[in-house]
Amino acid sequence: MTRAYGVKKGKKRKHTEPKYDREAEEKQQVQEEESQQQEQQPEEDELSGIPIAPSELKSDKPKVTFILERASLEVAKVGKTYQLLNSDEHANFLRKNNKNPGDYRPDITHQVLLAILDSPLNKAGRLQAVYIKTEKGVLIEVKPYVRIPRTFKRFCGVMLELLQKLSISAVGKREKLLRTIKNPVTQYLPINSRKIGFSHSSEKVVDMNDYVKTVPTDMDFVFVLGAMAHGKIETDYTDDYISISEYPLSAAYCIGRICGALEGKWKIL
């Protein structure tokens, strides 16, 4: 009997220890949940800005603005969800609606934005802004320090969110990194600027490096390019209309030549 009672007493002493540990564990779990909630941010917060030195941003040096015309950024309800239409995923849907899948190429806009924002020209603080005008006439402003998603699928998700919510803000800031704005685009362009349109159909074929040297050193540049698969842009606000190659070039490759020429003119390495 004495042995039995001794066993029970031992169990009671062991039973008191887990009770304290359970309370501590529950308290720790609550703290972890609160910490996780503080760390969680909306998907749009992934578009945090690219760091640029404040002195560069406040510089009075000439800058460049890019305008992408006729961008294929169109939202439609496919099945039960709204999606950004593209030729790869929605070819059957587009054909059923008597539309040419080849005209729906948001990947072109994605490639061009990456080429612009990744350039040393932008990292040196010489990019003023990027404006995108869709086929439907929607005008979008892209800040130079936005971080565009690297993958096309995520890019489509961001553009879908932008066209539905009309803006996307930075982490912990009120500033809108992407937003739709009122037309026309000319009201946002620098006054002292040379506005240059691009098209392979232009009879004026130039060497880009030589061309930018003819523009006064205190003048801003505005470059207008098409972000569509086929056709040409038609604008009434350009000062010049040029071609930079005897061969058809992709919009992203044109951006590479433009940025390279300006980086040479402005001594950006």
Side-chain angles (χ1 to χ4, degrees), residues 152-183:
F152 178 63
K153 184 177 181 179
R154 178 72 183 111
F155 171 77
C156 289
V158 169
M159 290 296 109
L160 173 63
E161 184 178 352
L162 171 63
L163 293 171
Q164 290 179 326
K165 295 185 177 181
L166 306 183
S167 67
I168 296 179
S169 302
V171 178
K173 298 180 180 179
R174 294 183 179 179
E175 184 177 9
K176 297 175 180 179
L177 301 179
L178 298 167
R179 62 171 182 163
T180 58
I181 55 178
K182 293 182 179 180
N183 282 293

PDB file of all heavy atoms in Angstrom, residues 152-183:
ATOM      1  N   PHE A 152       6.607  36.669 -65.562  1.00  0.00           N
ATOM      2  CA  PHE A 152       5.478  37.175 -66.339  1.00  0.00           C
ATOM      3  C   PHE A 152       4.147  36.925 -65.637  1.00  0.00           C
ATOM      4  O   PHE A 152       3.244  37.761 -65.667  1.00  0.00           O
ATOM      5  CB  PHE A 152       5.474  36.518 -67.732  1.00  0.00           C
ATOM      6  CG  PHE A 152       4.319  36.942 -68.585  1.00  0.00           C
ATOM      7  CD1 PHE A 152       4.162  38.254 -68.977  1.00  0.00           C
ATOM      8  CD2 PHE A 152       3.371  36.015 -68.996  1.00  0.00           C
ATOM      9  CE1 PHE A 152       3.094  38.663 -69.762  1.00  0.00           C
ATOM     10  CE2 PHE A 152       2.297  36.398 -69.779  1.00  0.00           C
ATOM     11  CZ  PHE A 152       2.168  37.725 -70.160  1.00  0.00           C
ATOM     12  N   LYS A 153       4.023  35.771 -64.991  1.00  0.00           N
ATOM     13  CA  LYS A 153       2.768  35.448 -64.308  1.00  0.00           C
ATOM     14  C   LYS A 153       2.479  36.447 -63.200  1.00  0.00           C
ATOM     15  O   LYS A 153       1.353  36.938 -63.051  1.00  0.00           O
ATOM     16  CB  LYS A 153       2.832  34.026 -63.744  1.00  0.00           C
ATOM     17  CG  LYS A 153       1.540  33.573 -63.093  1.00  0.00           C
ATOM     18  CD  LYS A 153       1.629  32.131 -62.626  1.00  0.00           C
ATOM     19  CE  LYS A 153       0.308  31.685 -62.003  1.00  0.00           C
ATOM     20  NZ  LYS A 153       0.357  30.266 -61.550  1.00  0.00           N
ATOM     21  N   ARG A 154       3.489  36.761 -62.415  1.00  0.00           N
ATOM     22  CA  ARG A 154       3.308  37.749 -61.333  1.00  0.00           C
ATOM     23  C   ARG A 154       3.044  39.142 -61.904  1.00  0.00           C
ATOM     24  O   ARG A 154       2.264  39.917 -61.358  1.00  0.00           O
ATOM     25  CB  ARG A 154       4.555  37.751 -60.450  1.00  0.00           C
ATOM     26  CG  ARG A 154       4.511  38.785 -59.319  1.00  0.00           C
ATOM     27  CD  ARG A 154       3.533  38.386 -58.246  1.00  0.00           C
ATOM     28  NE  ARG A 154       3.463  39.429 -57.229  1.00  0.00           N
ATOM     29  CZ  ARG A 154       2.415  40.202 -57.017  1.00  0.00           C
ATOM     30  NH1 ARG A 154       1.324  40.052 -57.742  1.00  0.00           N
ATOM     31  NH2 ARG A 154       2.428  41.118 -56.068  1.00  0.00           N
ATOM     32  N   PHE A 155       3.690  39.464 -63.012  1.00  0.00           N
ATOM     33  CA  PHE A 155       3.456  40.753 -63.671  1.00  0.00           C
ATOM     34  C   PHE A 155       1.992  40.883 -64.088  1.00  0.00           C
ATOM     35  O   PHE A 155       1.374  41.926 -63.896  1.00  0.00           O
ATOM     36  CB  PHE A 155       4.372  40.886 -64.897  1.00  0.00           C
ATOM     37  CG  PHE A 155       4.068  42.077 -65.761  1.00  0.00           C
ATOM     38  CD1 PHE A 155       4.463  43.350 -65.386  1.00  0.00           C
ATOM     39  CD2 PHE A 155       3.378  41.920 -66.963  1.00  0.00           C
ATOM     40  CE1 PHE A 155       4.177  44.447 -66.189  1.00  0.00           C
ATOM     41  CE2 PHE A 155       3.100  42.997 -67.764  1.00  0.00           C
ATOM     42  CZ  PHE A 155       3.501  44.277 -67.376  1.00  0.00           C
ATOM     43  N   CYS A 156       1.443  39.809 -64.657  1.00  0.00           N
ATOM     44  CA  CYS A 156       0.032  39.822 -65.058  1.00  0.00           C
ATOM     45  C   CYS A 156      -0.870  40.058 -63.854  1.00  0.00           C
ATOM     46  O   CYS A 156      -1.861  40.797 -63.931  1.00  0.00           O
ATOM     47  CB  CYS A 156      -0.339  38.507 -65.740  1.00  0.00           C
ATOM     48  SG  CYS A 156       0.380  38.305 -67.394  1.00  0.00           S
ATOM     49  N   GLY A 157      -0.517  39.451 -62.724  1.00  0.00           N
ATOM     50  CA  GLY A 157      -1.299  39.646 -61.515  1.00  0.00           C
ATOM     51  C   GLY A 157      -1.269  41.083 -61.033  1.00  0.00           C
ATOM     52  O   GLY A 157      -2.288  41.634 -60.595  1.00  0.00           O
ATOM     53  N   VAL A 158      -0.108  41.717 -61.140  1.00  0.00           N
ATOM     54  CA  VAL A 158       0.035  43.109 -60.721  1.00  0.00           C
ATOM     55  C   VAL A 158      -0.745  44.039 -61.649  1.00  0.00           C
ATOM     56  O   VAL A 158      -1.438  44.962 -61.198  1.00  0.00           O
ATOM     57  CB  VAL A 158       1.523  43.498 -60.684  1.00  0.00           C
ATOM     58  CG1 VAL A 158       1.685  45.001 -60.514  1.00  0.00           C
ATOM     59  CG2 VAL A 158       2.230  42.770 -59.555  1.00  0.00           C
ATOM     60  N   MET A 159      -0.661  43.811 -62.958  1.00  0.00           N
ATOM     61  CA  MET A 159      -1.388  44.648 -63.905  1.00  0.00           C
ATOM     62  C   MET A 159      -2.905  44.481 -63.747  1.00  0.00           C
ATOM     63  O   MET A 159      -3.657  45.444 -63.865  1.00  0.00           O
ATOM     64  CB  MET A 159      -0.983  44.295 -65.347  1.00  0.00           C
ATOM     65  CG  MET A 159       0.427  44.716 -65.721  1.00  0.00           C
ATOM     66  SD  MET A 159       0.660  46.521 -65.696  1.00  0.00           S
ATOM     67  CE  MET A 159       1.692  46.695 -64.243  1.00  0.00           C
ATOM     68  N   LEU A 160      -3.336  43.266 -63.466  1.00  0.00           N
ATOM     69  CA  LEU A 160      -4.746  43.014 -63.219  1.00  0.00           C
ATOM     70  C   LEU A 160      -5.213  43.802 -61.996  1.00  0.00           C
ATOM     71  O   LEU A 160      -6.259  44.459 -62.019  1.00  0.00           O
ATOM     72  CB  LEU A 160      -4.984  41.517 -63.003  1.00  0.00           C
ATOM     73  CG  LEU A 160      -6.393  41.086 -62.574  1.00  0.00           C
ATOM     74  CD1 LEU A 160      -7.407  41.437 -63.646  1.00  0.00           C
ATOM     75  CD2 LEU A 160      -6.423  39.593 -62.270  1.00  0.00           C
ATOM     76  N   GLU A 161      -4.410  43.750 -60.942  1.00  0.00           N
ATOM     77  CA  GLU A 161      -4.743  44.476 -59.714  1.00  0.00           C
ATOM     78  C   GLU A 161      -4.755  45.982 -59.952  1.00  0.00           C
ATOM     79  O   GLU A 161      -5.627  46.699 -59.452  1.00  0.00           O
ATOM     80  CB  GLU A 161      -3.725  44.120 -58.633  1.00  0.00           C
ATOM     81  CG  GLU A 161      -4.011  44.741 -57.282  1.00  0.00           C
ATOM     82  CD  GLU A 161      -3.001  44.319 -56.232  1.00  0.00           C
ATOM     83  OE1 GLU A 161      -2.176  43.442 -56.519  1.00  0.00           O
ATOM     84  OE2 GLU A 161      -3.050  44.873 -55.120  1.00  0.00           O
ATOM     85  N   LEU A 162      -3.801  46.471 -60.733  1.00  0.00           N
ATOM     86  CA  LEU A 162      -3.724  47.893 -61.035  1.00  0.00           C
ATOM     87  C   LEU A 162      -4.955  48.375 -61.801  1.00  0.00           C
ATOM     88  O   LEU A 162      -5.548  49.410 -61.477  1.00  0.00           O
ATOM     89  CB  LEU A 162      -2.458  48.180 -61.842  1.00  0.00           C
ATOM     90  CG  LEU A 162      -2.323  49.592 -62.424  1.00  0.00           C
ATOM     91  CD1 LEU A 162      -2.250  50.623 -61.311  1.00  0.00           C
ATOM     92  CD2 LEU A 162      -1.107  49.681 -63.337  1.00  0.00           C
ATOM     93  N   LEU A 163      -5.343  47.634 -62.824  1.00  0.00           N
ATOM     94  CA  LEU A 163      -6.474  48.042 -63.651  1.00  0.00           C
ATOM     95  C   LEU A 163      -7.803  47.932 -62.904  1.00  0.00           C
ATOM     96  O   LEU A 163      -8.779  48.584 -63.267  1.00  0.00           O
ATOM     97  CB  LEU A 163      -6.517  47.200 -64.932  1.00  0.00           C
ATOM     98  CG  LEU A 163      -5.338  47.437 -65.889  1.00  0.00           C
ATOM     99  CD1 LEU A 163      -5.337  46.410 -67.012  1.00  0.00           C
ATOM    100  CD2 LEU A 163      -5.382  48.850 -66.460  1.00  0.00           C
ATOM    101  N   GLN A 164      -7.840  47.127 -61.852  1.00  0.00           N
ATOM    102  CA  GLN A 164      -9.058  47.007 -61.050  1.00  0.00           C
ATOM    103  C   GLN A 164      -9.097  48.022 -59.913  1.00  0.00           C
ATOM    104  O   GLN A 164     -10.131  48.627 -59.647  1.00  0.00           O
ATOM    105  CB  GLN A 164      -9.170  45.587 -60.481  1.00  0.00           C
ATOM    106  CG  GLN A 164      -9.477  44.526 -61.543  1.00  0.00           C
ATOM    107  CD  GLN A 164      -9.558  43.126 -60.965  1.00  0.00           C
ATOM    108  OE1 GLN A 164      -8.849  42.792 -60.020  1.00  0.00           O
ATOM    109  NE2 GLN A 164     -10.432  42.307 -61.522  1.00  0.00           N
ATOM    110  N   LYS A 165      -7.948  48.235 -59.260  1.00  0.00           N
ATOM    111  CA  LYS A 165      -7.889  49.152 -58.118  1.00  0.00           C
ATOM    112  C   LYS A 165      -7.428  50.563 -58.495  1.00  0.00           C
ATOM    113  O   LYS A 165      -7.508  51.482 -57.693  1.00  0.00           O
ATOM    114  CB  LYS A 165      -6.953  48.590 -57.043  1.00  0.00           C
ATOM    115  CG  LYS A 165      -7.457  47.292 -56.411  1.00  0.00           C
ATOM    116  CD  LYS A 165      -6.536  46.862 -55.286  1.00  0.00           C
ATOM    117  CE  LYS A 165      -7.050  45.609 -54.597  1.00  0.00           C
ATOM    118  NZ  LYS A 165      -6.159  45.185 -53.480  1.00  0.00           N
ATOM    119  N   LEU A 166      -6.872  50.698 -59.706  1.00  0.00           N
ATOM    120  CA  LEU A 166      -6.426  51.978 -60.277  1.00  0.00           C
ATOM    121  C   LEU A 166      -5.107  52.500 -59.698  1.00  0.00           C
ATOM    122  O   LEU A 166      -4.571  53.479 -60.194  1.00  0.00           O
ATOM    123  CB  LEU A 166      -7.504  53.061 -60.135  1.00  0.00           C
ATOM    124  CG  LEU A 166      -8.884  52.702 -60.697  1.00  0.00           C
ATOM    125  CD1 LEU A 166      -9.822  53.878 -60.568  1.00  0.00           C
ATOM    126  CD2 LEU A 166      -8.773  52.256 -62.144  1.00  0.00           C
ATOM    127  N   SER A 167      -4.558  51.855 -58.673  1.00  0.00           N
ATOM    128  CA  SER A 167      -3.255  52.277 -58.154  1.00  0.00           C
ATOM    129  C   SER A 167      -2.671  51.189 -57.256  1.00  0.00           C
ATOM    130  O   SER A 167      -3.402  50.356 -56.715  1.00  0.00           O
ATOM    131  CB  SER A 167      -3.366  53.585 -57.364  1.00  0.00           C
ATOM    132  OG  SER A 167      -4.119  53.388 -56.184  1.00  0.00           O
ATOM    133  N   ILE A 168      -1.344  51.216 -57.104  1.00  0.00           N
ATOM    134  CA  ILE A 168      -0.627  50.329 -56.187  1.00  0.00           C
ATOM    135  C   ILE A 168       0.401  51.179 -55.454  1.00  0.00           C
ATOM    136  O   ILE A 168       1.183  51.894 -56.089  1.00  0.00           O
ATOM    137  CB  ILE A 168       0.062  49.167 -56.926  1.00  0.00           C
ATOM    138  CG1 ILE A 168      -0.985  48.264 -57.586  1.00  0.00           C
ATOM    139  CG2 ILE A 168       0.912  48.350 -55.960  1.00  0.00           C
ATOM    140  CD1 ILE A 168      -0.392  47.100 -58.356  1.00  0.00           C
ATOM    141  N   SER A 169       0.414  51.103 -54.128  1.00  0.00           N
ATOM    142  CA  SER A 169       1.287  51.942 -53.310  1.00  0.00           C
ATOM    143  C   SER A 169       2.505  51.176 -52.815  1.00  0.00           C
ATOM    144  O   SER A 169       2.556  49.950 -52.864  1.00  0.00           O
ATOM    145  CB  SER A 169       0.510  52.507 -52.114  1.00  0.00           C
ATOM    146  OG  SER A 169      -0.606  53.256 -52.552  1.00  0.00           O
ATOM    147  N   ALA A 170       3.474  51.931 -52.281  1.00  0.00           N
ATOM    148  CA  ALA A 170       4.704  51.338 -51.749  1.00  0.00           C
ATOM    149  C   ALA A 170       4.479  50.851 -50.327  1.00  0.00           C
ATOM    150  O   ALA A 170       3.512  51.217 -49.660  1.00  0.00           O
ATOM    151  CB  ALA A 170       5.827  52.371 -51.784  1.00  0.00           C
ATOM    152  N   VAL A 171       5.407  50.040 -49.850  1.00  0.00           N
ATOM    153  CA  VAL A 171       5.332  49.506 -48.493  1.00  0.00           C
ATOM    154  C   VAL A 171       5.471  50.647 -47.483  1.00  0.00           C
ATOM    155  O   VAL A 171       6.433  51.396 -47.509  1.00  0.00           O
ATOM    156  CB  VAL A 171       6.454  48.479 -48.250  1.00  0.00           C
ATOM    157  CG1 VAL A 171       6.390  47.958 -46.814  1.00  0.00           C
ATOM    158  CG2 VAL A 171       6.341  47.336 -49.229  1.00  0.00           C
ATOM    159  N   GLY A 172       4.494  50.777 -46.585  1.00  0.00           N
ATOM    160  CA  GLY A 172       4.561  51.762 -45.515  1.00  0.00           C
ATOM    161  C   GLY A 172       4.533  53.199 -45.976  1.00  0.00           C
ATOM    162  O   GLY A 172       4.853  54.108 -45.216  1.00  0.00           O
ATOM    163  N   LYS A 173       4.162  53.438 -47.232  1.00  0.00           N
ATOM    164  CA  LYS A 173       4.121  54.804 -47.759  1.00  0.00           C
ATOM    165  C   LYS A 173       2.804  55.045 -48.484  1.00  0.00           C
ATOM    166  O   LYS A 173       2.139  54.129 -48.928  1.00  0.00           O
ATOM    167  CB  LYS A 173       5.293  55.045 -48.726  1.00  0.00           C
ATOM    168  CG  LYS A 173       6.666  54.903 -48.085  1.00  0.00           C
ATOM    169  CD  LYS A 173       7.764  55.170 -49.113  1.00  0.00           C
ATOM    170  CE  LYS A 173       9.137  55.024 -48.500  1.00  0.00           C
ATOM    171  NZ  LYS A 173      10.214  55.260 -49.489  1.00  0.00           N
ATOM    172  N   ARG A 174       2.465  56.304 -48.601  1.00  0.00           N
ATOM    173  CA  ARG A 174       1.243  56.663 -49.320  1.00  0.00           C
ATOM    174  C   ARG A 174       1.498  56.875 -50.802  1.00  0.00           C
ATOM    175  O   ARG A 174       0.560  56.971 -51.581  1.00  0.00           O
ATOM    176  CB  ARG A 174       0.646  57.947 -48.719  1.00  0.00           C
ATOM    177  CG  ARG A 174       0.152  57.786 -47.280  1.00  0.00           C
ATOM    178  CD  ARG A 174      -0.476  59.067 -46.782  1.00  0.00           C
ATOM    179  NE  ARG A 174      -0.970  58.928 -45.407  1.00  0.00           N
ATOM    180  CZ  ARG A 174      -1.537  59.904 -44.732  1.00  0.00           C
ATOM    181  NH1 ARG A 174      -1.678  61.103 -45.296  1.00  0.00           N
ATOM    182  NH2 ARG A 174      -1.949  59.713 -43.501  1.00  0.00           N
ATOM    183  N   GLU A 175       2.763  56.980 -51.163  1.00  0.00           N
ATOM    184  CA  GLU A 175       3.084  57.240 -52.567  1.00  0.00           C
ATOM    185  C   GLU A 175       2.662  56.079 -53.449  1.00  0.00           C
ATOM    186  O   GLU A 175       2.908  54.919 -53.136  1.00  0.00           O
ATOM    187  CB  GLU A 175       4.576  57.496 -52.735  1.00  0.00           C
ATOM    188  CG  GLU A 175       4.939  57.854 -54.163  1.00  0.00           C
ATOM    189  CD  GLU A 175       6.401  58.169 -54.325  1.00  0.00           C
ATOM    190  OE1 GLU A 175       7.160  57.937 -53.372  1.00  0.00           O
ATOM    191  OE2 GLU A 175       6.782  58.642 -55.398  1.00  0.00           O
ATOM    192  N   LYS A 176       2.033  56.405 -54.566  1.00  0.00           N
ATOM    193  CA  LYS A 176       1.565  55.390 -55.504  1.00  0.00           C
ATOM    194  C   LYS A 176       2.642  55.122 -56.545  1.00  0.00           C
ATOM    195  O   LYS A 176       3.033  56.012 -57.297  1.00  0.00           O
ATOM    196  CB  LYS A 176       0.270  55.863 -56.167  1.00  0.00           C
ATOM    197  CG  LYS A 176      -0.866  56.038 -55.170  1.00  0.00           C
ATOM    198  CD  LYS A 176      -2.113  56.616 -55.825  1.00  0.00           C
ATOM    199  CE  LYS A 176      -3.227  56.773 -54.801  1.00  0.00           C
ATOM    200  NZ  LYS A 176      -4.449  57.369 -55.397  1.00  0.00           N
ATOM    201  N   LEU A 177       3.115  53.894 -56.571  1.00  0.00           N
ATOM    202  CA  LEU A 177       4.182  53.525 -57.501  1.00  0.00           C
ATOM    203  C   LEU A 177       3.646  53.273 -58.905  1.00  0.00           C
ATOM    204  O   LEU A 177       4.316  53.529 -59.891  1.00  0.00           O
ATOM    205  CB  LEU A 177       4.905  52.279 -56.993  1.00  0.00           C
ATOM    206  CG  LEU A 177       5.547  52.401 -55.611  1.00  0.00           C
ATOM    207  CD1 LEU A 177       6.205  51.091 -55.231  1.00  0.00           C
ATOM    208  CD2 LEU A 177       6.561  53.531 -55.586  1.00  0.00           C
ATOM    209  N   LEU A 178       2.437  52.746 -58.980  1.00  0.00           N
ATOM    210  CA  LEU A 178       1.745  52.521 -60.238  1.00  0.00           C
ATOM    211  C   LEU A 178       0.348  53.106 -60.102  1.00  0.00           C
ATOM    212  O   LEU A 178      -0.332  52.849 -59.111  1.00  0.00           O
ATOM    213  CB  LEU A 178       1.652  51.029 -60.561  1.00  0.00           C
ATOM    214  CG  LEU A 178       2.952  50.251 -60.753  1.00  0.00           C
ATOM    215  CD1 LEU A 178       2.666  48.756 -60.748  1.00  0.00           C
ATOM    216  CD2 LEU A 178       3.632  50.648 -62.045  1.00  0.00           C
ATOM    217  N   ARG A 179      -0.098  53.853 -61.094  1.00  0.00           N
ATOM    218  CA  ARG A 179      -1.443  54.415 -61.011  1.00  0.00           C
ATOM    219  C   ARG A 179      -1.960  54.786 -62.392  1.00  0.00           C
ATOM    220  O   ARG A 179      -1.182  55.089 -63.310  1.00  0.00           O
ATOM    221  CB  ARG A 179      -1.461  55.651 -60.121  1.00  0.00           C
ATOM    222  CG  ARG A 179      -0.595  56.802 -60.635  1.00  0.00           C
ATOM    223  CD  ARG A 179      -0.813  58.076 -59.845  1.00  0.00           C
ATOM    224  NE  ARG A 179      -0.003  59.177 -60.373  1.00  0.00           N
ATOM    225  CZ  ARG A 179      -0.218  60.462 -60.094  1.00  0.00           C
ATOM    226  NH1 ARG A 179      -1.193  60.804 -59.276  1.00  0.00           N
ATOM    227  NH2 ARG A 179       0.550  61.396 -60.620  1.00  0.00           N
ATOM    228  N   THR A 180      -3.265  54.752 -62.530  1.00  0.00           N
ATOM    229  CA  THR A 180      -3.884  55.240 -63.760  1.00  0.00           C
ATOM    230  C   THR A 180      -4.111  56.739 -63.602  1.00  0.00           C
ATOM    231  O   THR A 180      -4.471  57.218 -62.518  1.00  0.00           O
ATOM    232  CB  THR A 180      -5.225  54.530 -64.013  1.00  0.00           C
ATOM    233  OG1 THR A 180      -6.094  54.743 -62.895  1.00  0.00           O
ATOM    234  CG2 THR A 180      -5.018  53.031 -64.217  1.00  0.00           C
ATOM    235  N   ILE A 181      -3.887  57.471 -64.686  1.00  0.00           N
ATOM    236  CA  ILE A 181      -4.012  58.933 -64.655  1.00  0.00           C
ATOM    237  C   ILE A 181      -4.832  59.406 -65.847  1.00  0.00           C
ATOM    238  O   ILE A 181      -5.125  58.646 -66.765  1.00  0.00           O
ATOM    239  CB  ILE A 181      -2.618  59.610 -64.665  1.00  0.00           C
ATOM    240  CG1 ILE A 181      -1.793  59.118 -65.871  1.00  0.00           C
ATOM    241  CG2 ILE A 181      -1.873  59.325 -63.374  1.00  0.00           C
ATOM    242  CD1 ILE A 181      -0.425  59.763 -65.986  1.00  0.00           C
ATOM    243  N   LYS A 182      -5.193  60.676 -65.817  1.00  0.00           N
ATOM    244  CA  LYS A 182      -6.037  61.241 -66.864  1.00  0.00           C
ATOM    245  C   LYS A 182      -5.233  61.541 -68.124  1.00  0.00           C
ATOM    246  O   LYS A 182      -4.089  61.965 -68.067  1.00  0.00           O
ATOM    247  CB  LYS A 182      -6.711  62.521 -66.366  1.00  0.00           C
ATOM    248  CG  LYS A 182      -7.727  62.296 -65.246  1.00  0.00           C
ATOM    249  CD  LYS A 182      -8.382  63.614 -64.842  1.00  0.00           C
ATOM    250  CE  LYS A 182      -9.420  63.404 -63.737  1.00  0.00           C
ATOM    251  NZ  LYS A 182     -10.054  64.677 -63.334  1.00  0.00           N
ATOM    252  N   ASN A 183      -5.854  61.329 -69.266  1.00  0.00           N
ATOM    253  CA  ASN A 183      -5.277  61.733 -70.547  1.00  0.00           C
ATOM    254  C   ASN A 183      -5.446  63.246 -70.719  1.00  0.00           C
ATOM    255  O   ASN A 183      -6.277  63.864 -70.070  1.00  0.00           O
ATOM    256  CB  ASN A 183      -5.993  60.987 -71.670  1.00  0.00           C
ATOM    257  CG  ASN A 183      -5.519  59.557 -71.816  1.00  0.00           C
ATOM    258  OD1 ASN A 183      -4.402  59.308 -72.192  1.00  0.00           O
ATOM    259  ND2 ASN A 183      -6.401  58.605 -71.491  1.00  0.00           N
TER     260      ASN A 183
END
